[in-house]
Amino acid sequence: MSLRIVVTVKYVPDATGDRHFADDLTVDRDDVDGLLSELDEYAVEQALQISENSDDDAEVTVLTVGPEDAKDALRKALSMGADKAIHVEDDDLHGTDAIGTSLVLAKAIEKAGYDLVISGMASTDGTMGVVPALLAERLGVPQVTLLSEVSVEGGTIKGRRDGDAASEQLEASLPAVVSVTDQSGEARYPSFKGIMAAKKKPVEAWDLSDLDLEAEEVGLGGSYTVVDSVTERPARTAGTIVKDEGEGGKQLAEFLAGQKFI
């Protein structure tokens, strides 16, 4: 018996770059470098650990929906140790919101075949964190989200969710969808051997027709959410310098009180 693990990953703009919106109020991805979302690296890591600790044969497939450059995110995951990748690319996907993305991912996951779907807790660009739950609903399987510890025993997924006041021990029968947090364990760094091996691993390319989806179901036109307007963040201003000439402590206290920090 083989354990089929699908990891959903996203190619996102580098948070250290100069990010801005395009004329259609979508994120302009052409003028900034992209990379595998850092939070998705934790999902890849947990998938690899489950695969390595499984008594059954396990296969890890990484799946992304995005433009041509999104292959870079897949290659990073493959170099970490994933077995194969699926890239859903179609011009009509431009502007798809989280609900539409969950539809595309669900169709691709069903086509690929799965026992367990693992996602990061959120993407580092949209930061909505709703796709795992939407996926579970579309697939009709249990969801166990925001786990800081996860394992598979037989046909059951088990994990720990840490809250502000307590930790919960959760489990669900497979097939299931889980998401993991950035506390689940540091993601491994791709080795040179892994990077070279990734070049030979299969990457399947699918479009909307492969998933029996119509253009009207996705993209800006099919989105349930709409961005009405955007405003650039104001330029950072010079900070306030308090010179201590005997009254520094008082001035600092007055400044903090004026900002309602104290």
Side-chain angles (χ1 to χ4, degrees):
M1 180 180 176
S2 177
L3 178 64
R4 300 167 298 173
I5 306 172
V6 178
V7 186
T8 61
V9 300
K10 189 175 184 183
Y11 180 73
V12 299
D14 188 343
T16 63
D18 183 18
R19 297 174 294 172
H20 55 275
F21 288 88
D23 293 338
D24 61 0
L25 301 185
T26 62
V27 176
D28 189 341
R29 301 177 184 274
D30 294 331
D31 292 338
V32 63
D33 291 335
L35 71 171
L36 170 63
S37 177
E38 180 183 358
L39 293 175
D40 290 341
E41 292 186 17
Y42 297 97
V44 175
E45 176 62 34
Q46 292 308 306
L48 295 175
Q49 289 193 26
I50 290 171
S51 174
E52 292 163 355
N53 296 326
S54 176
D55 293 331
D56 303 318
D57 291 334
E59 183 179 64
V60 177
T61 301
V62 285
L63 166 65
T64 195
V65 177
E68 182 180 356
D69 289 345
K71 287 186 178 69
D72 292 344
L74 296 176
R75 290 297 178 193
K76 172 71 177 292
L78 291 172
S79 67
M80 290 173 66
D83 299 299
K84 62 180 184 179
I86 298 170
H87 181 198
V88 181
E89 179 187 6
D90 198 300
D91 290 342
D92 289 322
L93 287 167
H94 174 72
T96 302
D97 64 0
I99 296 176
T101 298
S102 72
L103 172 62
V104 178
L105 287 173
K107 290 285 189 179
I109 290 167
E110 289 176 331
K111 181 178 174 68
Y114 73 102
D115 299 297
L116 175 62
V117 179
I118 304 181
S119 301
M121 60 188 292
S123 63
T124 54
D125 55 353
T127 64
M128 293 187 68
V130 298
V131 168
L134 293 171
L135 265 181
E137 177 68 19
R138 291 191 183 279
L139 295 171
V141 299
Q143 58 166 307
V144 188
T145 54
L146 301 177
L147 299 181
S148 55
E149 184 179 278
V150 60
S151 64
V152 173
E153 297 179 19
T156 302
I157 183 80
K158 298 183 178 182
R160 188 187 78 240
R161 178 191 294 153
D162 296 323
D164 293 335
S167 294
E168 302 171 300
Q169 296 293 334
L170 306 169
E171 64 178 61
S173 58
L174 298 179
V177 174
V178 306
S179 68
V180 297
T181 71
D182 54 356
Q183 301 302 307
S184 58
E186 186 176 352
R188 67 193 67 187
Y189 191 81
S191 65
F192 177 76
K193 181 179 179 180
I195 293 171
M196 298 305 295
K199 296 180 180 180
K200 299 180 181 179
K201 293 179 179 179
V203 179
E204 293 190 57
W206 295 347
D207 59 18
L208 291 179
S209 64
D210 292 314
L211 304 178
D212 295 323
L213 288 172
E214 300 295 332
E216 294 75 17
E217 299 177 83
V218 296
L220 286 172
S223 294
Y224 284 74
T225 56
V226 177
V227 178
D228 289 328
S229 63
V230 297
T231 303
E232 286 194 29
R233 179 186 298 174
R236 180 177 294 182
T237 57
T240 300
I241 298 176
V242 175
K243 295 183 179 180
D244 188 5
E245 297 177 350
E247 296 288 326
K250 181 180 178 181
Q251 293 180 50
L252 181 59
E254 290 176 346
F255 173 79
L256 293 174
Q259 299 297 317
K260 298 184 178 179
F261 291 138
I262 59 173

